[in-house]
Amino acid sequence: MAAASSSSLHATAAALHGVGAAASSKPRAAAPGARSVRVAAAARRSGSVRARGGMVARAAVAVTCLVFCIPFFFCGRLLHEVLLFEALREALIEEMKADPTVYVFGEDVGHYGGSYKVTKGLAEMFGDLRVLDTPIAENSFTGMGVGAAMKGLRPIIEGMNMGFLLLAYNQISNNCGMLHYTSGGQFKIPVVIRGPGGVGRQLGAEHSQRLESYFQSIPGLQMVACSTPYNAKGLMKAAIRSENPVVLFEHVLLYNLKEKIPDEEYICCLEDVEMVRPGEHVTILTYSRMRYHVMQAAKTQVNKGYDPEVIDIRSLKPFDLHTIGNSIKKTNRVLIVEECMRTGGIGASLRAAIIDNFWDYLDAPIMCLSSQDVPTPYAAPLEDATVVQPAQIVAAVEQICQ
Amino acid sequence: MVAAAVLRHLGAGTARRVVALPLTLSRGVSDSTEPLTVETSVPYKSHIVDPPAREVATTPRELVAFFRDMSVMRRFEIAADSLYKAKLIRGFCHLYDGQEAVAVGMEAATTRADAIITAYRDHCTYLARGGDIVAAFAELMGRRDGCSRGKGGSMHFYKKDANFYGGHGIVGAQAPLGCGLAFAHRYRKEDAVTFDLYGDGAANQGQLFEALNMAALWKLPAILVCENNHYGMGTAEWRASKSPDYYKRGDYVPGLKVDGMDVLAVKQACKFAKQHTLENGPIILEMDTYRYHGHSMSDPGSTYRTRDEIAGIRQERDPIERVRKLILTHDLSTSQELKDMEKEIRKQVDTAIAKAKESPMPDPSELFTNVYVNDCGLESFGVDRKEVTSVLP
């Protein structure tokens, strides 16, 4: 695929045509190949007009018009290239412009511009009250966000690293998740809690945490994980607009992914999966950074003659069992690849949900590749061994497809 | 004589109210609005701020209303005690009797545009904010017509339309929430304040100081009210706090120590605090108060304090008796009329209980409602979605 990006991690983006993406009214940009077909058709049309002879002048006008019109065929498809953190920022800017009750706060989000530049420039645009630098007090500033949400504002709470939000666990679980229920529906808490998590490059145990498993049991929360600039922007916008509290998991290593995203406004559905690569032999369910390890492994698998179906589950709570189930009905084999901890992780819940609902369709036991249940070590080879690597995924597919 | 006429009007008014409306707290029952000045029982103690005057302006109508409102609250809590012992109320039940002056005095100094948030000892604060007494009893008994539809319980009373934000079970967790409410006031440029209540036990929570720092930094209109009843469950304040001067704990935040058993002192302090905070940012009010019951119904309340102490406070500092004395001294009513009022209130509370008992248990489907806001037709509570797709508006 002639995708415009140079990053190998980005190779799959051009192949995307997601179920989730269809939630927006216009379909996502067609792959570049399709675009070239359209241009060729326009050229053919103009060629046939020219062939009529004696109408050269009219034909020339028509051609000129077409040449000018071609860009307008794509006015639904004008794209611009962004990095993932820029996509998140675009989403923030658009939503903050549209709704004055939306505001962002967290440590160093304002004047510093955000530790991963997601909020760079926003303080100049919207002022210090709407892009608020907080002291280092996760528990209470998360609580303040919940209180403000009870009173009708729409805060976006940034944890500088997801791991720091463990300090705010009480507020997230008891207040954020439960207030809508314990008040009998009187208060809604439309907060977005976001931040980078996951294993980075030798950041050490406390800064390499995956909190999906910790938050997934909290009733009342929704959880999504973004993995591409396209779905990062779409999910951020959807999360801001949602009336429920949404935890948006970003990944430290994915902020510099490059992709072309549409100029026009779009939103991704919070509860849908994204079909990354349709296939026939095995359903691979993954999310966040592991998507790229899976796609890397998929290249090897395809060479070996396997045809994996890769689904980025995106919505970690609730799972889109509808689409996942349809895939399982087709392939009858499931491999889950996640960065979450093995114990009580997203994979564990997903396995249980699949067994409950789709047992009859399984031809093989569900395999789940997760991170090891250890604090992430500092040393590079040990850190690599903590998370799932493409070689392991290839081996797992071979094993499951026997 | 005037007072008798006043109280006949009062009696008639309440009788009408019983028939037409569920019992709610009222203000302005008495007719007379002639100003009356009363001195607070003890002077205020202050920290980096000039205290308000000890002379409090009030009216006979207001005093009678105070008496009435506090008596309703007292009756409510005693009735809740009996219901708990009859096993109609289960779980935790934290009673407020003895502390009524704080709720009533605060309400007299605020408008419904101001927000109030408190911890789990919230029955009377809910009533003060205009909460329906039948809905309160129904919630305690876990019935469908409860103020939180039976799903919250004693510790989760809320009233959104009166800006009452609950009702929180985890000690101290409401402190940052209250500062968040104050933040929303400031964000929206509203001319309103938030009363953020917590206890002497919660005064040692880190998140309180975190929130206080942010409130002071951003000059949020937050009034932090420490209801110091001197015991954090079973631990006396001198055993839990190095410095039991909670009004001084704010360091750079001004504070005021108020006699929390004197409803007029509370009213004056809250009025002062409201004015102060709108201009200068947060202030701490320490209400020196007392609870007659134990921490909750499972605590007899006498293992860590003596019965003499409890009886002594009841004798000398009871908030209702103080107002009764004021009313009698200023000849606003006779003793018999006040007793009649109390009897009337007792009957009304009993009627409310009977009505609440008639309310059925919540429907089983209520187990799954209000987990999420069904804005996009999303109906999911566990890992699997019940709806196939949801479309954003």
Side-chain angles (χ1 to χ4, degrees):
Chain A
M1 282 288 190
S5 162
S6 49
S7 154
S8 63
L9 286 173
H10 172 67
T12 56
L16 293 175
H17 26 272
V19 167
S24 60
S25 54
K26 291 205 179 101
R28 208 177 86 78
R35 199 185 318 159
S36 59
V37 167
R38 211 175 284 267
V39 172
R44 269 199 305 276
R45 270 199 297 277
S46 61
S48 65
V49 165
R50 247 186 266 123
R52 276 200 203 132
M55 294 177 178
V56 172
R58 217 196 297 176
V61 168
V63 165
T64 321
C65 288
L66 275 170
V67 165
F68 279 114
C69 285
I70 285 167
F72 291 101
F73 291 148
F74 310 111
C75 68
R77 284 160 177 73
L78 280 174
L79 304 172
H80 61 285
E81 192 170 64
V82 288
L83 300 173
L84 194 144
F85 73 86
E86 290 168 345
L88 289 168
R89 195 198 310 146
E90 278 184 19
L92 284 174
I93 292 174
E94 284 172 24
E95 291 303 302
M96 286 176 76
K97 277 191 179 149
D99 185 348
T101 64
V102 177
Y103 71 104
V104 186
F105 63 99
E107 293 152 13
D108 279 329
V109 296
H111 294 184
Y112 189 80
S115 50
Y116 291 92
K117 296 179 283 189
V118 174
T119 50
K120 190 156 189 218
L122 262 60
E124 287 81 37
M125 283 179 78
F126 297 106
D128 280 351
L129 191 64
R130 288 187 77 189
V131 187
L132 186 60
D133 281 326
T134 62
I136 306 175
E138 283 80 3
N139 190 10
S140 44
F141 72 64
T142 306
M144 285 183 68
V146 174
M150 283 171 92
K151 213 164 188 310
L153 299 184
R154 304 184 84 94
I156 300 165
I157 304 168
E158 170 169 318
M160 191 182 268
N161 186 291
M162 269 288 174
F164 306 163
L165 290 180
L166 287 174
L167 287 159
Y169 197 89
N170 175 61
Q171 295 290 350
I172 295 172
S173 165
N174 289 341
N175 292 330
C176 195
M178 293 191 192
L179 272 169
H180 187 62
Y181 191 85
T182 56
S183 67
Q186 286 181 71
F187 299 112
K188 55 181 171 71
I189 319 289
V191 302
V192 177
I193 298 171
R194 50 160 292 266
V199 175
R201 295 258 181 265
Q202 297 184 266
L203 298 178
E206 289 170 334
H207 293 73
S208 312
Q209 297 196 70
R210 287 76 80 199
L211 297 196
E212 302 88 85
S213 57
Y214 296 58
F215 289 142
Q216 72 169 323
S217 321
I218 299 175
L221 276 193
Q222 264 191 273
M223 303 193 329
V224 287
C226 63
S227 50
T228 68
Y230 180 85
N231 65 35
K233 181 174 177 184
L235 290 174
M236 173 74 98
K237 286 171 74 83
I240 295 171
R241 293 189 194 187
S242 171
E243 303 292 2
N244 298 314
V246 179
V247 183
L248 171 60
F249 290 93
E250 302 157 12
H251 196 287
V252 279
L253 293 181
L254 298 185
Y255 280 122
N256 290 322
L257 282 182
K258 223 188 282 192
E259 188 182 2
K260 284 202 159 82
I261 63 173
D263 285 356
E264 59 156 8
E265 197 180 31
Y266 69 93
I267 296 175
C268 292
C269 180
L270 283 177
E271 297 87 23
D272 281 353
V273 300
E274 194 172 310
M275 179 67 70
V276 184
R277 180 190 189 284
E280 296 289 324
H281 290 167
V282 57
T283 300
I284 305 183
L285 302 171
T286 182
Y287 66 93
S288 194
R289 182 177 168 229
M290 286 298 114
R291 167 187 173 141
Y292 297 97
H293 282 203
V294 167
M295 289 313 292
Q296 210 175 319
K299 268 192 279 194
T300 319
Q301 287 156 18
V302 165
N303 289 340
K304 289 190 176 175
Y306 294 101
D307 188 21
E309 175 152 295
V310 180
I311 294 178
D312 181 345
I313 63 173
R314 248 169 43 180
S315 173
L316 306 179
K317 182 177 159 96
F319 297 135
D320 178 7
L321 285 181
H322 178 77
T323 317
I324 293 174
N326 284 341
S327 173
I328 296 173
K329 286 176 193 172
K330 182 171 54 161
T331 66
N332 310 121
R333 291 179 161 79
V334 182
L335 170 65
I336 301 170
V337 180
E338 56 165 0
E339 198 171 324
C340 204
M341 315 300 268
R342 152 156 262 102
T343 305
I346 298 291
S349 295
L350 191 51
R351 224 183 197 165
I354 293 172
I355 290 173
D356 276 348
N357 290 286
F358 306 115
W359 173 255
D360 292 329
Y361 297 100
L362 293 172
D363 282 348
I366 304 172
M367 277 192 77
C368 184
L369 299 176
S370 341
S371 290
Q372 303 308 311
D373 282 333
V374 297
T376 312
Y378 167 72
L382 292 180
E383 184 184 68
D384 286 340
T386 314
V387 297
V388 180
Q389 300 296 341
Q392 292 166 281
I393 303 172
V394 173
V397 168
E398 284 175 12
Q399 187 182 336
I400 210 173
C401 285
Q402 266 163 7
Chain B
M1 273 179 301
V2 170
V6 156
L7 279 151
R8 245 177 278 124
H9 185 271
L10 211 166
T14 50
R16 271 205 301 279
R17 203 165 283 111
V18 163
V19 171
L21 297 163
L23 183 66
T24 53
L25 293 183
S26 57
R27 286 197 245 183
V29 177
S30 160
D31 263 332
S32 172
T33 49
E34 289 212 12
L36 192 58
T37 310
V38 181
E39 210 191 32
T40 65
S41 54
V42 294
Y44 296 102
K45 280 203 205 148
S46 69
H47 171 67
I48 63 174
V49 71
D50 290 323
R54 275 181 75 179
E55 288 72 38
V56 185
T58 181
T59 69
R61 176 195 282 204
E62 187 174 62
L63 281 175
V64 173
F66 283 168
F67 181 86
R68 186 164 194 287
D69 292 346
M70 289 198 283
S71 300
V72 171
M73 291 177 179
R74 180 66 61 90
R75 200 69 243 149
F76 182 99
E77 297 295 62
I78 293 175
D81 178 305
S82 315
L83 287 174
Y84 193 90
K85 289 180 174 141
K87 292 207 199 302
L88 281 162
I89 301 178
R90 312 305 300 270
F92 292 128
C93 190
H94 306 86
L95 299 178
Y96 200 73
D97 52 320
Q99 300 183 210
E100 300 90 350
V102 178
V104 172
M106 185 181 299
E107 193 58 29
T110 59
T111 68
R112 291 281 154 84
D114 297 320
I116 296 184
I117 188 168
T118 184
Y120 45 76
R121 209 175 293 277
D122 56 352
H123 307 164
C124 300
T125 321
Y126 170 77
L127 294 177
R129 283 259 108 175
D132 178 25
I133 202 172
V134 176
F137 276 123
E139 184 61 33
L140 289 175
M141 294 192 272
R143 305 297 173 99
R144 185 181 306 182
D145 296 316
C147 48
S148 296
R149 293 155 74 147
K151 299 200 285 194
S154 162
M155 298 186 281
H156 299 285
F157 280 23
Y158 306 89
K159 193 160 168 51
K160 185 173 180 186
D161 54 14
N163 274 318
F164 176 54
Y165 293 87
H168 297 274
I170 303 296
V171 170
Q174 78 280 5
L177 255 58
C179 290
L181 297 172
F183 182 86
H185 282 309
R186 186 160 166 233
Y187 191 95
R188 286 214 168 99
K189 302 191 173 68
E190 288 169 6
D191 202 24
V193 301
T194 297
F195 285 85
D196 192 353
L197 278 69
Y198 61 99
D200 49 294
N204 295 318
Q205 275 268 320
Q207 54 190 324
L208 180 69
F209 294 95
E210 292 176 15
L212 198 61
N213 174 49
M214 285 188 269
L217 196 60
W218 301 324
K219 274 178 112 173
L220 303 181
I223 300 169
L224 280 89
V225 182
C226 177
E227 290 182 290
N228 182 10
N229 56 26
H230 306 286
Y231 296 93
M233 203 164 90
T235 307
E237 61 178 343
W238 56 270
R239 291 182 63 226
S241 304
K242 181 74 181 161
S243 160
D245 287 329
Y246 300 108
Y247 70 108
K248 284 189 188 161
R249 291 270 204 97
D251 184 20
Y252 41 81
V253 172
L256 208 60
K257 181 160 177 170
V258 185
D259 179 2
M261 306 297 257
D262 177 355
V263 64
L264 291 167
V266 171
K267 172 186 153 190
Q268 182 89 321
C270 289
K271 258 204 170 118
F272 170 79
K274 182 168 172 179
Q275 210 176 347
H276 183 274
T277 202
L278 280 170
E279 289 159 30
N280 303 317
I283 186 171
I284 298 180
L285 295 180
E286 180 188 339
M287 304 288 181
D288 186 349
T289 182
Y290 200 84
R291 53 168 163 80
Y292 298 141
H293 270 89
H295 165 73
S296 72
M297 285 305 296
S298 20
D299 168 30
S302 49
T303 56
Y304 47 86
R305 50 186 192 172
T306 62
R307 289 189 201 278
D308 285 341
E309 179 189 297
I310 306 171
I313 305 266
R314 213 189 265 274
Q315 181 88 350
E316 280 163 46
R317 296 179 65 201
D318 185 83
I320 301 178
E321 292 312 307
R322 171 171 286 142
V323 176
R324 190 199 303 269
K325 237 185 283 186
L326 271 173
I327 292 177
L328 294 176
T329 315
H330 292 271
D331 206 17
L332 307 175
S333 171
T334 68
S335 163
Q336 186 55 43
E337 281 164 336
L338 290 179
K339 283 211 182 77
D340 287 341
M341 195 192 304
E342 286 177 303
K343 243 189 273 190
E344 186 72 55
I345 288 169
R346 190 177 183 138
K347 227 191 305 174
Q348 286 164 358
V349 167
D350 289 339
T351 313
I353 293 177
K355 184 133 193 286
K357 278 186 185 163
E358 285 168 25
S359 173
M361 287 287 170
D363 194 78
S365 67
E366 281 283 339
L367 182 62
F368 296 115
T369 60
N370 306 126
V371 178
Y372 294 101
V373 177
N374 288 355
D375 55 338
C376 310
L378 170 68
E379 254 190 58
S380 164
F381 9 95
V383 288
D384 42 343
R385 227 164 76 191
K386 305 305 176 200
E387 294 291 304
V388 169
T389 56
S390 71
V391 179
L392 278 171

